[in-house]
Amino acid sequence: MIASEAYPFSKTGGLADVAAALPRALGRLGHEVTLITPRYRGVAAATVVDTSRIEVAGTWFEVAFGEASLGPGARVLFLDCPLLFDRPGIYNEGGVDYGDNAVRFALLSAAAIDWMSRQPVPFHVVHGHDWQAGLAPVYLRDRFAGGLPATVFTIHNLAYQGIVDKAWVPLLGLRWEDYTLDGFEFYDRLSFLKAGVNFADAVTTVSATYADEIQRPEYGYGFDGVMRARRAHLTGILNGIDAEEWDPRRDPYLPQPYDRDDLGGKAAAKRALLETYGLPVDDETMARPLVGMVSRMVDQKGLDLIAAIAGELPYMDATFTVLGTGEARYQDMWRELASWRPDRISVYIGYDERRAHLVEAGADIFMMPSRYEPCGLNQMYSLRYGTVPVVRAVGGLVDTVRPYNPRNGQGTGFLFSHYSPDALRATLQAAIAMYRGNRKAWTRLQKNGMRKDFSWDRSAGEYVKVYKGVMATRQGRPTGGRGI
Ligand code: ADP
Ligand code: GLC
């Protein structure tokens, strides 16, 4: 498996959670998985098991692989190349992408393939994630001696397409014959994402609804035609969540454990959250619905909708705790709201694991009005923690949150379809009103959500089906291989 980030070693978003949890889940099912990911600054050195020299864009890079265990059947190999990865950021610094990202992530795939080609026991499947691993199937075809493993490519976010000038084609050791409409050419430039989509034997994305959406222009980000052409090889597999990392019964960040039979610890978490965020911890605030958000502050996550109703938030019957980083205008918006109404709105700009857990547990309502959402993990964490999601009905949010039905008490959250400030306001108000007005129904809603099973075991089983499918169709596949 090849991924550009993996929790807890590196993380900018949900990809990191998936890249760490999926190998573990496959390991639990009895498979053997090696995850290859860069060793960024701050990642501890691991036992070096391999060294090599790889040429990318006319430069020879000295690389080493350090090995660590991820659990039974799963290990990680850190690609160590300080020149490219020992930097303050993962993809960018001060909001500006590194100019040599094409080199950095071409090296990731090239080094992974190079390492694989020197292993005594062949692999069955190579599975790459997002554009950073897009060249893997191409390098595999071009550089791998012996029986080719089957390839799978997973799209976590179609909006990030790894597009660079076509001058990179020969520099990255790629062939002009592949610079075509059904290869990796995209509007006269090279797209790493398109390489992954078109050269892998199978393509997956992280929810069934998103798999449908990306075949349409509204959600295709220019790739809808590409996705339609690959429709027969495309599957949507919903992400799981790491059920140990995110469990209110044994979450070390919470003051007190809780579960659906005893929600007492949730009030303690609310208190801790208010304290952490410097908000009043009086009876009035404890009784008022607390709305939480943990999010990259970008348009994808619906921040523009929130901006459109920002002036009303301080007057709503709610308290807001927000965690995230992203575009300066959205960070400033939240800071301004917090200084306007410091007893009601508090924001922490930054990345903070403890706060993420506290918000998920301590809030009453979790707000996620995404413009698009391939899967989304936070709404699943919320459900597990008895925090009712208010989400837009899009992508993985549709597949994980069921609308509350007052007639039979079924459902797990509140959804709105139309991407508009009015729809967000109305839905948020409905959730707030229900919290205030019908506590019995609210508790039922919480418990409905807490009963849902989003563990990885089911999703990992779906990936195994995809792996078996591509292995069966791959000619000359190796026998007795060792894993993924
Ligand atoms: P995306 O990958 O699009 O950002 P997901 O919902 O799939 O969205 O995953 C986001 C992940 O990143 C979650 O695990 C969430 O808790 C975490 N996260 C996002 N922002 C922060 C932050 N500021 N601090 C801590 N964790 C964060
Ligand atoms: C991406 C998507 C998010 C998804 C995550 C993991 O970052 O934006 O919806 O949950 O990948 O697949």
Side-chain angles (χ1 to χ4, degrees), residues 359-392:
V359 173
E360 291 293 359
D364 301 301
I365 295 169
F366 192 84
M367 180 162 67
M368 200 163 168
S370 304
R371 177 182 290 271
Y372 71 95
E373 197 60 74
C375 178
L377 299 174
N378 284 302
Q379 81 281 11
M380 292 193 264
Y381 301 151
S382 302
L383 290 169
R384 191 123 205 263
Y385 281 73
T387 303
V388 174
V390 168
V391 304
R392 172 144 183 266

Side-chain angles (χ1 to χ4, degrees), residues 5 7 11-18 156-157 160 239 246 294-298 300-301 323-325 348-357 360 366 368 372-379 381:
E5 50 185 275
Y7 180 80
K11 174 162 165 174
T12 67
L15 167 63
D17 299 70
V18 175
H156 294 264
N157 193 330
Y160 298 89
N239 289 330
W246 295 92
V294 180
S295 180
R296 290 183 291 119
M297 292 185 180
V298 295
Q300 176 193 342
K301 300 294 179 183
L323 169 65
T325 55
Y348 181 87
I349 303 293
Y351 185 90
D352 186 322
E353 202 63 37
R354 185 178 78 95
R355 278 189 164 81
H357 283 250
E360 291 293 359
F366 192 84
M368 200 163 168
Y372 71 95
E373 197 60 74
C375 178
L377 299 174
N378 284 302
Q379 81 281 11
Y381 301 151

Side-chain angles (χ1 to χ4, degrees), residues 131-164:
W131 74 263
Q132 292 87 349
L135 297 186
V138 186
Y139 285 155
L140 193 70
R141 184 201 62 189
D142 295 349
R143 302 178 176 197
F144 196 75
L148 281 187
T151 50
V152 175
F153 181 70
T154 297
I155 299 167
H156 294 264
N157 193 330
L158 196 69
Y160 298 89
Q161 303 174 342
I163 293 176
V164 293

Side-chain angles (χ1 to χ4, degrees), residues 173-396:
L174 302 169
R175 300 180 188 162
W176 285 114
E177 301 95 276
D178 294 326
Y179 189 70
T180 58
L181 201 61
D182 54 5
F184 44 58
E185 184 267 351
F186 190 67
Y187 293 99
D188 207 24
R189 293 199 283 170
L190 160 66
S191 162
F192 280 43
L193 179 77
K194 199 170 171 191
V197 169
N198 278 340
F199 289 91
D201 299 321
V203 181
T204 73
T205 187
V206 288
S207 69
T209 298
Y210 192 61
D212 287 338
E213 287 171 345
I214 56 179
Q215 298 178 41
R216 304 204 302 261
E218 310 92 278
Y219 294 106
Y221 279 79
F223 261 69
D224 47 296
V226 179
M227 299 319 305
R228 283 196 300 279
R230 294 289 282 150
R231 180 167 32 202
H233 303 275
L234 173 67
T235 320
I237 302 176
L238 197 65
N239 289 330
I241 60 174
D242 191 322
E244 275 168 36
E245 193 73 39
W246 295 92
D247 182 354
R249 288 171 303 185
R250 51 180 166 202
D251 187 328
Y253 296 111
L254 304 191
Q256 205 181 302
Y258 65 93
D259 61 24
R260 69 168 182 266
D261 299 321
D262 179 9
L263 286 167
K266 192 161 167 64
K270 184 169 183 174
R271 198 166 288 117
L273 174 59
L274 291 170
E275 263 165 25
T276 302
Y277 268 85
L279 288 157
V281 195
D282 49 26
D283 290 350
E284 209 184 313
T285 312
M286 282 299 289
R288 190 185 306 122
L290 178 51
V291 179
M293 222 183 151
V294 180
S295 180
R296 290 183 291 119
M297 292 185 180
V298 295
D299 283 343
Q300 176 193 342
K301 300 294 179 183
L303 267 289
D304 53 335
L305 284 193
I306 296 172
I309 61 165
E312 300 164 45
L313 300 183
Y315 304 104
M316 282 189 181
D317 179 23
T319 310
F320 291 85
T321 52
V322 177
L323 169 65
T325 55
E327 288 180 35
R329 58 187 166 141
Y330 295 133
Q331 300 185 164
D332 293 346
M333 171 190 86
W334 279 113
R335 282 201 188 102
E336 209 175 298
L337 285 168
S339 62
W340 179 4
R341 201 72 211 264
D343 57 328
R344 285 292 185 92
I345 300 179
S346 180
V347 56
Y348 181 87
I349 303 293
Y351 185 90
D352 186 322
E353 202 63 37
R354 185 178 78 95
R355 278 189 164 81
H357 283 250
L358 270 183
V359 173
E360 291 293 359
D364 301 301
I365 295 169
F366 192 84
M367 180 162 67
M368 200 163 168
S370 304
R371 177 182 290 271
Y372 71 95
E373 197 60 74
C375 178
L377 299 174
N378 284 302
Q379 81 281 11
M380 292 193 264
Y381 301 151
S382 302
L383 290 169
R384 191 123 205 263
Y385 281 73
T387 303
V388 174
V390 168
V391 304
R392 172 144 183 266
V394 72

Side-chain angles (χ1 to χ4, degrees), residues 58-81:
T59 304
W60 285 91
F61 294 96
E62 306 281 339
V63 304
F65 282 105
E67 177 175 337
S69 170
L70 285 174
R75 64 171 168 172
V76 55
L77 287 186
F78 293 107
L79 169 61
D80 203 355
C81 180

